[in-house]
Amino acid sequence: MKNLYDIIIVGGGPGGIASAVEASIFGLEKILFIEKGENHSQTIRQYYKDAKRVDKDWQGQSVDMEGNIEFFDGTKESTLEYFELLLDNENIDTVFNCEVDRVVKENDLFTVTTPQGSFTAKNVIVSIGRMGKPNKPSYKIPPSLKQVVNFNPYECRGREKILVVGGGDSAVEYACQLSCDNNVTLSYRRESFNRINDINLEMVERYDQEERLRVRYGIDIDSIENEKGKVKVNYNNGFYTIYDRVIYALGGTTPVDFFRKSNMVLDEHDLPVINEKFETSVKGLYIAGDIVYKSGGSIAMAINHAYHILQDITGEKGGLA
């Protein structure tokens, strides 16, 4: 079968890149790397500010690199350059601007369906993130405010009055980061944080107590309006506040429809059920990267996922490097 691949990797982030490179190191000869964007690492390119630090130990969580790929502290630019060098491998076929619709197994082979046609493989690794499709509020965002209503912090100019909306790790990190040179309020509709890690919980409570930012608990937003180029935020208690900028950090949209069309069994969080080697309920279909976790993972973790998956696929302990 001329177009039969040993493995197809869906998703061009760190987990996908590491999966393709590890596949080559472990001796797989026909490798296909598919990314829906025009280049790899779209999340880093789109959401990371120029010169932003990229740390191996994200949020202080120490990760030992276990596979054949090193990862180290750097910047947005050095990280992208490193990933580009990793992909300069003649064994890896790449297809960009190609979104995968589904992955279906039949007679021990997978058919990966895309608008550019179908591809066939013995094994598939799905490493797609969530940040590409951020959740949006239920109320309308006036088009005239699109420059000052954002879904990441990288348009902020400094010396602004900013409202960050959300109760997850990203919301807390954005608010604390921006509080250095802005007047920041973090608004969460519940009475307390219940889905952030311990490091971020300690940090936001300390920043609040030190009055480096303000946290508003137990209040929701009914609507927003354009108030002479600024954002008028109408709260459900009848009051309003005017901000220079509003940033929504409401999480990302897990690609549930894709999982279901690919016949994966999902858990209560609509994430694929996996074993200790990151294999889904469909034998030979694996997941890597932040979709492994309810609250997301790190670049270093995603790279380690790739190593363990290739160990499982090939039965080798360390690859051929």
Side-chain angles (χ1 to χ4, degrees):
M1 296 181 67
K2 182 178 179 181
N3 295 318
L4 173 62
Y5 286 91
D6 292 317
I7 192 166
I8 292 177
I9 294 97
V10 180
I17 294 169
S19 295
V21 175
E22 289 283 15
S24 179
I25 292 172
F26 272 84
L28 301 188
E29 296 180 354
K30 295 205 66 178
I31 304 163
L32 179 62
F33 176 86
I34 303 176
E35 160 60 27
K36 70 176 182 180
E38 62 183 15
N39 210 331
H40 68 84
S41 309
Q42 287 294 106
T43 295
I44 295 176
R45 294 178 192 278
Q46 183 175 357
Y47 292 101
Y48 283 40
K49 192 174 183 179
D50 289 348
K52 173 180 168 60
R53 282 181 55 86
V54 179
D55 295 328
K56 180 179 78 69
D57 295 334
W58 179 68
Q59 294 181 339
Q61 302 176 57
S62 180
V63 177
D64 293 327
M65 303 311 299
E66 302 175 78
N68 296 291
I69 300 171
E70 292 294 330
F71 189 67
F72 33 80
D73 295 346
T75 64
K76 170 185 176 179
E77 292 76 12
S78 67
T79 300
L80 290 174
E81 182 180 6
Y82 176 57
F83 287 155
E84 285 164 4
L85 290 173
L86 288 177
L87 282 174
D88 283 347
N89 186 318
E90 62 183 15
N91 290 340
I92 302 172
D93 292 340
T94 57
V95 178
F96 293 101
N97 294 309
C98 183
E99 185 166 8
V100 173
D101 178 67
R102 69 188 69 196
V103 176
V104 177
K105 186 176 186 181
E106 186 176 359
N107 298 327
D108 294 326
L109 293 177
F110 290 95
T111 298
V112 178
T113 303
T114 81
Q116 298 185 28
S118 296
F119 305 91
T120 306
K122 299 175 184 177
N123 296 280
V124 175
I125 300 174
V126 175
S127 185
I128 51 180
R130 310 181 217 199
M131 287 186 69
K133 293 182 179 179
N135 290 329
K136 297 183 178 181
S138 57
Y139 46 84
K140 181 179 179 181
I141 299 175
S144 60
L145 291 174
K146 65 180 182 179
Q147 298 299 321
V148 290
V149 174
N150 312 126
F151 296 89
N152 62 62
Y154 307 127
E155 299 299 322
C156 300
R157 306 187 187 105
R159 299 178 181 270
E160 292 183 317
K161 183 177 181 181
I162 298 173
L163 177 69
V164 178
V165 183
D169 287 306
S170 292
V172 169
E173 290 164 16
Y174 291 171
C176 292
Q177 171 191 340
L178 292 170
S179 67
C180 295
D181 55 0
N182 296 281
N183 178 354
V184 177
T185 298
L186 174 59
S187 176
Y188 185 39
R189 61 190 176 88
R190 300 187 185 277
E191 295 296 335
S192 63
F193 294 109
N194 60 4
R195 57 188 181 94
I196 62 176
N197 64 52
D198 292 340
I199 295 172
N200 281 339
L201 180 60
E202 186 278 332
M203 179 171 62
V204 72
E205 289 178 345
R206 175 163 46 86
Y207 276 44
D208 188 21
Q209 290 298 317
E210 294 174 353
E211 297 185 352
R212 296 164 67 177
L213 58 76
R214 178 188 183 193
V215 182
R216 302 185 70 173
Y217 296 102
I219 188 169
D220 212 345
I221 298 172
D222 280 339
S223 64
I224 62 173
E225 304 173 42
N226 189 328
E227 183 75 15
K228 298 180 180 179
K230 296 190 176 185
V231 188
K232 180 181 179 183
V233 177
N234 299 307
Y235 292 101
N236 62 355
N237 60 3
F239 293 96
Y240 70 86
T241 307
I242 296 175
Y243 298 92
D244 297 314
R245 186 179 304 275
V246 173
I247 299 172
Y248 291 98
L250 304 177
T253 304
T254 303
V256 178
D257 289 342
F258 170 78
F259 294 152
R260 288 175 176 159
K261 286 190 289 187
S262 300
N263 300 317
M264 301 181 199
V265 174
L266 306 182
D267 64 16
E268 66 274 18
H269 305 296
D270 286 329
L271 295 175
V273 174
I274 57 174
N275 63 20
E276 68 278 3
K277 292 296 185 179
F278 309 103
E279 186 177 37
T280 71
S281 58
V282 182
K283 186 173 177 57
L285 178 58
Y286 299 80
I287 64 170
D290 66 0
I291 57 171
V292 169
Y293 306 105
K294 176 187 173 184
S295 58
S298 71
I299 292 174
M301 291 175 185
I303 292 173
N304 281 344
H305 295 165
Y307 175 66
H308 291 295
I309 291 170
L310 266 300
Q311 280 187 317
D312 195 52
I313 289 173
T314 64
E316 298 285 342
K317 291 187 177 180
L320 303 179

